[in-house]
Amino acid sequence: MGDDLQRLVVARLAELGSPRRPLSYRAAAARSQGHVSHGTIGRIARGQHSGVLEDETLDGLALALDVPRTRIEKAAGIFRERPLQPFTLPARASLLSRSEREVVLSVVDALLAAATRTGATCQPKSAASPGTAHPVKQTPLTSRVPERDDHALVAYAVDGTGRISAADLETIRRHEEGQKQAHAGGEPSKRP
């Protein structure tokens, strides 16, 4: 166990205590809800700990010192990157309309495409083969939309001003005109 954990414990006890006196080992142990003893906290603070830290001890130190567990692990020199869990939307996302869901999916597609361009990995690393990225099957946005609703075409100003250029407005007008003709049974107008 490195000196970093000892320094972290001493510093946090000082920060959590009063201006003249650091938080006691017993008070810190009480904050841990029984996950770590005052003796263990004291041995770490004095640099006398064996260096073997169980999961419960790590959780207790995080509670006692009011820091994330990963900070404790990094200070102890035992931090390891954990694979991400599969991403699922919360149940409340089922309230989104079809077009709103498509916006969410297009944002995901844009993030994945940006990560691919920059070389960043978007896939969790497998425990069996660290460092190996699994390919992402990306479905084109158009193939996910079973039918079009009237609000599927949305334009955004690239410069963030909220203004849409005259060329974009013309494209939208032609698209809407073509859709009206298609719904009326006529031939949609040709794009320029």
Side-chain angles (χ1 to χ4, degrees), residues 96-161:
L96 297 173
S97 69
R98 181 181 22 244
S99 61
E100 291 166 334
R101 293 175 190 203
E102 288 305 313
V103 169
V104 171
L105 291 174
S106 66
V107 168
V108 170
D109 288 340
L111 290 171
L112 291 171
T116 302
R117 282 192 305 275
T118 62
T121 180
C122 296
Q123 292 297 310
K125 293 177 178 162
S126 165
S129 56
T132 306
H134 301 285
V136 177
K137 182 183 178 205
Q138 292 187 3
T139 310
L141 184 60
T142 55
S143 68
R144 284 192 238 120
V145 182
E147 61 185 72
R148 182 190 176 280
D149 63 19
D150 289 338
H151 303 287
L153 182 63
V154 180
Y156 298 97
V158 178
D159 62 0
T161 62

Side-chain angles (χ1 to χ4, degrees), residues 4-113:
D4 290 343
L5 182 58
Q6 179 185 2
R7 282 193 288 272
L8 174 63
V9 170
V10 170
R12 288 300 295 154
L13 290 175
E15 291 169 6
L16 294 168
S18 67
R20 294 184 183 168
R21 185 169 184 195
L23 187 68
S24 72
Y25 303 149
R26 286 190 190 277
R31 292 171 54 104
S32 79
Q33 302 169 0
H35 290 286
V36 66
S37 71
H38 71 278
T40 300
I41 294 172
R43 283 189 295 280
I44 293 170
R46 292 186 304 272
Q48 300 171 339
H49 193 268
S50 67
V52 177
L53 297 171
E54 301 292 328
D55 278 342
E56 186 173 11
T57 304
L58 293 168
D59 291 337
L61 286 170
L63 288 170
L65 303 176
D66 193 26
V67 296
R69 177 178 162 151
T70 55
R71 187 168 172 196
I72 300 290
E73 291 173 344
K74 287 176 182 176
I78 58 172
F79 177 76
R80 68 187 193 296
E81 194 71 38
R82 291 167 180 83
L84 296 174
Q85 298 299 319
F87 180 73
T88 56
L89 292 173
R92 67 182 181 274
S94 64
L95 299 173
L96 297 173
S97 69
R98 181 181 22 244
S99 61
E100 291 166 334
R101 293 175 190 203
E102 288 305 313
V103 169
V104 171
L105 291 174
S106 66
V107 168
V108 170
D109 288 340
L111 290 171
L112 291 171

